[in-house]
Amino acid sequence: MPAQPAAPRTAVIPVQTDEDVTQQADTKPPDIKHSPSPVVASILNPVYRRTALVKIQAPFTDRQLESIARGMVYLEKLGLVSVIVLENDQLPRGDSRERTALVEETMRVVNALEKQGARARPVLGTVVRLGPKPGEEHTSGSREFDPPEAHTFPSDLVHIRSALRAGEIPVLPPLALDSLCRSVRVDANDVIAALVRGMVEAAALDKNAAVREDSPSSSPEEMDLVPLRLMIISREGGVPSYARQGMPHLLINLTSEYDYIRNTFDPRWKLTHSTALSNLRLARTCLAYMPPTSSAVMVSHRSPSSLIGNLITNKPALSSSLPHALLQGNRKLTPDTPTILRHGLPVRVVRRVDDLDKAKLKKLLEHSFRRELEEDAFWARMERDLDFVIVAGDYAGAAIVTREPCPPGTPDTVAPITYLDKFAVLPEHQGDGTVDFLWVALHDETYGLGLPFSANPNGGKEGKGEGRDLVWRSRADNPVNKWYFERSTGHIRQGDWVLFWCDAEARLKTEEGRRASAGLSYLEDWEVGRLATWSDVVMKIPSSWKPKPAKKQLK
């Protein structure tokens, strides 16, 4: 199997930092065939070919189908080959012309692809079978996702394999084989879910067979069957969000947000987004079988450029962790903005040091900062000043927030400073959405409190409470500062450090409402002196790390 291309990573570096070939002998017998060098292989086969499962949710006009086909062809040129399954919401079930209409729709898509220069193949025979996979009839209830209501065996994928091997895009109508061996129309979601699972299992069998035979897992003519992306193209687009007045979600953590999104789905949206929840369920099922780096995208046919960009970069059109005010006024946020879905990780808020797994948190911090923790001093400080820790998954990421007392002489009415002491994500999780999920939870627990769009299910206050200014520092040469600039309200240079802060959003909103059209001034009365206070406190916070050993100088 060719090596999987690494998912693009969000360059996240922890908040607080204190720094920022052996020659091979030619002894092989002449009868052993030398494998081509990686450099030669990359030149001969420069693009790794991977698969994407695509649901085209018709009906579409010829013009719309042309736009969709153009996107599929461009993706193929970049090495992402689509396996397309059709659906037609307006074709009544049980109609006498049902099968004929499905075949005609399949041929329309094939012709649209070929007009754009691609080679496509209609796969009109049944590839999946109705019902649970034999032997799993009674195990579905124990899973955290909805298992497919259809299945497929490796031998059933022969037509899809043949098309992919020949450089063709397979296009399938939503047909399945029932218990009486009849080809019947089923929901396209069942076909796609069965194909995702079946292709993952078939790829695993291919890999095991290659290992047993001690041969390369695939040749240049083969391709990795494991789906890298799931794409749902419809007239509806992404999943609407109540926090954005019905505009689409940008990035969804299915592990922690699935039930919440379903529970907060406005009944009025069922008129305009009638299949949003069923497609959300399809994404959860498929991503449970796909690799952790995979993603799904729900996109409108009206946004082909975003469709292409999101599939290749694996990022939402706009980061969900950007300030809400920037998202609301951004031109990129439209009803046709795609929704990216990741399998994600559970997110929880821990408020007591005794409830933390110290060994795992220490490992996370040291791996992320690449420094050795001064444990005794660090944990003593946490016992004294800890406010809360947001933990993603099994300590794949964490945000540590402390309460820093104000200097002597500060009025008792002034609350302690809410300080982001550490923000860390393991390198292997810096491309799977964990960074944004963690920052959104941090927003909801601090400067976003008091507003309805902070009521996310992260185990914290769920939007209830009074927002607090969030302050943190970063080395001036930290390459991630650009990321912090985009998410902070302001910053100020302090020698070798940069001091960042995020103002409590509810307070800003209240002040703007009070002043109406006059707007906010550059310096409000309540802001006077706070930067001096923050600098005085934050810059005196001791390092959490053991000193680096001095470098030996050459004599």
Side-chain angles (χ1 to χ4, degrees):
M1 182 186 301
Q4 179 176 331
R9 292 185 176 180
T10 304
V12 173
I13 296 177
V15 170
Q16 182 189 10
T17 60
D18 296 317
E19 66 161 7
D20 245 56
V21 186
T22 301
Q23 292 184 353
Q24 181 179 4
D26 188 13
T27 57
K28 291 185 177 181
D31 59 331
I32 294 181
K33 184 178 181 181
H34 291 264
S35 59
S37 72
V39 175
V40 174
S42 66
I43 294 173
L44 297 178
N45 187 26
V47 178
Y48 288 109
R49 302 177 71 224
R50 301 296 302 270
T51 55
L53 259 294
V54 180
K55 174 186 176 183
I56 296 182
Q57 194 169 312
F60 290 117
T61 65
D62 290 342
R63 184 77 173 267
Q64 293 165 348
L65 205 55
E66 176 186 337
S67 177
I68 294 171
R70 194 180 302 119
M72 300 294 98
V73 172
Y74 186 75
L75 288 175
E76 184 187 25
K77 291 178 180 177
L78 296 177
L80 195 62
V81 184
S82 303
V83 177
I84 299 174
V85 179
L86 300 178
E87 182 62 280
N88 191 327
D89 296 333
Q90 293 185 359
L91 181 62
R93 295 186 180 275
D95 187 273
S96 58
R97 292 191 68 257
E98 182 178 51
R99 188 181 183 90
T100 302
L102 288 175
V103 172
E104 290 175 352
E105 194 70 31
T106 302
M107 296 310 300
R108 279 187 69 217
V109 174
V110 170
N111 292 333
L113 289 167
E114 293 186 338
K115 285 181 180 178
Q116 297 300 319
R119 297 169 59 194
R121 179 189 298 188
V123 180
L124 303 179
T126 53
V127 177
V128 305
R129 306 161 187 258
L130 279 178
K133 200 165 186 178
E136 297 185 350
E137 293 85 350
H138 306 293
T139 60
S140 60
S142 61
R143 294 181 176 173
E144 296 180 356
F145 60 92
D146 303 310
E149 296 187 10
H151 64 280
T152 187
F153 295 108
S155 58
D156 298 325
L157 301 175
V158 60
H159 297 296
I160 292 179
R161 282 183 183 272
S162 173
L164 295 174
R165 192 178 294 117
E168 300 171 336
I169 298 175
V171 184
L172 292 72
L175 301 174
L177 206 63
D178 68 6
S179 58
L180 299 177
C181 295
R182 297 174 300 187
S183 177
V184 296
R185 180 189 179 188
V186 297
D187 194 306
N189 287 7
D190 293 331
V191 176
I192 292 172
L195 279 177
V196 166
R197 181 182 181 183
M199 291 169 70
V200 169
E201 292 174 345
L205 291 176
D206 291 346
K207 184 176 181 179
N208 292 337
V211 170
R212 287 195 302 270
E213 297 171 6
D214 193 23
S215 62
S217 57
S218 62
S219 65
E221 292 76 22
E222 286 288 347
M223 74 164 20
D224 192 345
L225 273 184
V226 177
L228 191 64
R229 302 282 185 269
L230 168 68
M231 180 165 57
I232 301 166
I233 309 173
S234 68
R235 303 169 70 90
E236 301 173 9
V239 182
S241 166
Y242 82 94
R244 298 193 173 92
Q245 293 77 47
M247 289 290 191
H249 281 274
L250 294 171
L251 179 65
I252 294 177
N253 180 349
L254 288 168
T255 298
S256 63
E257 299 178 48
Y258 177 80
D259 291 332
Y260 186 71
I261 290 173
R262 292 181 62 87
N263 294 337
T264 58
F265 194 84
D266 193 319
R268 292 173 295 181
W269 294 336
K270 293 181 180 178
L271 298 176
T272 56
H273 295 76
S274 59
T275 62
L277 294 183
S278 61
N279 286 332
L280 182 71
R281 184 170 60 249
L282 170 66
R284 184 176 72 156
T285 299
C286 292
L287 288 175
Y289 293 109
M290 294 162 68
T293 53
S294 300
S295 64
V297 59
M298 294 172 61
V299 65
S300 164
H301 65 284
R302 289 181 289 270
S303 52
S305 60
S306 296
L307 175 156
I308 295 170
N310 293 144
L311 273 186
I312 297 302
T313 65
N314 207 19
K315 295 179 182 178
L318 289 165
S319 172
S320 59
S321 62
L322 285 170
H324 192 74
L326 290 182
L327 293 177
Q328 290 296 89
N330 198 300
R331 294 180 180 178
K332 290 184 179 180
L333 185 60
T334 71
D336 299 318
T337 301
T339 296
I340 296 286
L341 306 100
R342 308 298 298 258
H343 184 266
L345 296 168
V347 177
R348 66 189 187 279
V349 178
V350 180
R351 302 193 181 275
R352 299 191 323 135
V353 174
D354 291 344
D355 295 331
L356 293 169
D357 189 320
K358 292 184 178 180
K360 290 183 179 179
L361 183 56
K362 174 179 179 289
K363 180 181 178 182
L364 164 64
L365 295 177
E366 292 186 342
H367 273 67
S368 184
F369 286 88
R370 298 179 183 177
R371 298 287 301 274
E372 187 177 354
L373 195 67
E374 188 71 74
E375 287 193 74
D376 292 341
F378 176 75
W379 293 118
R381 182 166 177 271
M382 291 299 105
E383 291 283 359
R384 184 182 68 248
D385 300 328
L386 180 67
D387 191 351
F388 61 85
V389 180
I390 303 174
V391 180
D394 190 18
Y395 291 83
I400 301 175
V401 177
T402 59
R403 298 181 301 268
E404 300 299 328
C406 292
T410 305
D412 295 337
T413 55
V414 177
I417 298 171
T418 301
Y419 176 66
L420 176 58
D421 188 83
K422 298 286 186 297
F423 185 85
V425 175
L426 290 175
E428 57 266 32
H429 286 277
Q430 290 185 9
D432 62 3
T434 300
V435 171
D436 278 331
F437 298 143
L438 196 59
W439 192 271
V440 169
L442 176 66
H443 160 276
D444 295 346
E445 291 301 302
T446 54
Y447 63 99
L449 272 178
L451 296 175
F453 50 79
S454 297
N456 292 308
N458 54 31
K461 296 181 178 180
E462 296 185 354
K464 299 175 183 177
E466 186 175 348
R468 299 173 289 166
D469 299 334
L470 179 68
V471 185
W472 72 97
R473 72 184 184 186
S474 175
R475 284 284 183 182
D477 58 356
N478 191 340
V480 82
N481 283 345
K482 180 181 181 296
W483 197 84
Y484 293 142
F485 292 148
E486 294 172 345
R487 282 150 187 80
S488 63
T489 305
H491 66 277
I492 186 172
R493 181 74 176 259
Q494 296 284 301
D496 294 335
W497 297 87
V498 180
L499 181 73
F500 292 93
W501 69 90
C502 289
D503 288 321
E505 292 179 344
R507 184 176 65 240
L508 290 179
K509 189 174 182 180
T510 301
E511 189 68 21
E512 285 178 335
R514 184 177 66 83
R515 296 202 171 200
S517 60
L520 292 172
S521 67
Y522 286 102
L523 184 65
E524 297 293 321
D525 292 340
W526 47 268
E527 293 183 288
V528 175
R530 67 173 185 166
L531 286 181
T533 301
W534 289 345
S535 298
D536 185 32
V537 174
V538 169
M539 293 305 152
K540 292 178 181 178
I541 294 175
S543 171
S544 303
W545 312 109
K546 291 183 179 180
K548 288 187 173 181
K551 294 182 179 180
K552 295 182 179 180
Q553 295 184 353
L554 296 176
K555 293 183 179 180

